[in-house]
Amino acid sequence: VVSAAVDRWREAACELVSQRAKLKRVVSRLTNRSLAVALDVWRENVSSAQHERGAMSKVGTRWHNKALSVPFETWRENAYELVRQAAVMRKVALRFSNQRLGAALDRWQANVQEVQRQRDVVRKVAFRVLHLRAIFAMETWRTWWEGNKRLRTAMDKAVKRVVHSFYLMYF
């Protein structure tokens, strides 16, 4: 029974490890895909901005540099947001797997306690069966002792009379 419980616990743990690996791959793909899209957009903006740069004057160049930094800032903000979302997804996946693992461990522990209780019951019954002869012998002796109590009382009285009569004779 214990080995079956351990096997069930092991299967549940393996399943949780597999689910965790799958969730990591999904989070990684989502993060990498979003980062790549954001980087491509930034590159396109930079490329188009560089193309326009040649045609601009000093004022245009200043305005253009500001325009170049805006897509980069947008990309950077998107990257930070994606990293934050990935961390949240990791925490959710970890909580989910920990709950399943905890439930499996609780079931295993309950099974072990039940097996231990059953062993204790069997041990008590076996003890009683093995010591049944001793119990019967003790009960027989107790019955004999109670039955001979009257005999002992009568013998004590007879001895006391004899001792009393000797006492009276000599004193």
Side-chain angles (χ1 to χ4, degrees):
V1 175
V2 174
S3 66
V6 170
D7 288 343
R8 278 187 256 133
W9 174 78
R10 188 178 298 136
E11 289 171 5
C14 288
E15 181 184 14
L16 291 175
V17 168
S18 171
Q19 287 177 356
R20 185 179 294 156
K22 287 177 185 176
L23 284 172
K24 281 184 181 179
R25 284 193 298 262
V26 168
V27 168
S28 175
R29 285 181 189 162
L30 288 173
T31 303
N32 291 339
R33 191 175 297 150
S34 299
L35 286 173
V37 167
L39 187 59
D40 288 344
V41 168
W42 178 74
R43 284 181 186 163
E44 288 175 14
N45 288 340
V46 168
S47 173
S48 67
Q50 285 176 346
H51 180 37
E52 293 172 1
R53 187 176 186 186
M56 292 189 172
S57 64
K58 274 189 171 183
V59 173
T61 303
R62 286 183 188 160
W63 177 80
H64 182 64
N65 286 340
K66 186 174 183 180
L68 283 176
S69 67
V70 169
F72 180 73
E73 276 300 312
T74 304
W75 175 80
R76 189 173 63 91
E77 289 171 5
N78 287 340
Y80 282 137
E81 180 60 22
L82 290 172
V83 168
R84 187 191 67 75
Q85 288 176 358
V88 167
M89 295 211 28
R90 257 187 245 108
K91 284 181 183 178
V92 168
L94 187 61
R95 281 186 186 162
F96 177 72
S97 65
N98 284 343
Q99 286 174 352
R100 302 254 336 241
L101 184 61
L105 189 59
D106 288 342
R107 284 192 304 271
W108 176 78
Q109 187 178 18
N111 287 337
V112 168
Q113 288 174 347
E114 178 60 20
V115 167
Q116 185 63 39
R117 187 193 67 77
Q118 290 173 354
R119 281 185 183 165
D120 290 344
V121 168
V122 168
R123 190 177 296 123
K124 286 179 184 177
V125 169
F127 180 82
R128 287 180 184 161
V129 168
L130 290 174
H131 294 91
L132 198 57
R133 283 181 155 171
I135 291 169
F136 283 140
M138 196 66 168
E139 187 62 30
T140 304
W141 177 81
R142 192 178 63 81
T143 305
W144 175 82
W145 179 259
E146 291 295 324
N148 287 331
K149 193 173 188 180
R150 281 186 248 132
L151 179 63
R152 280 194 320 266
T153 304
M155 295 280 283
D156 283 346
K157 285 182 181 177
V159 168
K160 285 180 185 175
R161 281 189 209 134
V162 169
V163 169
H164 185 65
S165 64
F166 278 128
Y167 180 75
L168 289 176
M169 252 165 59
Y170 292 107
F171 296 106

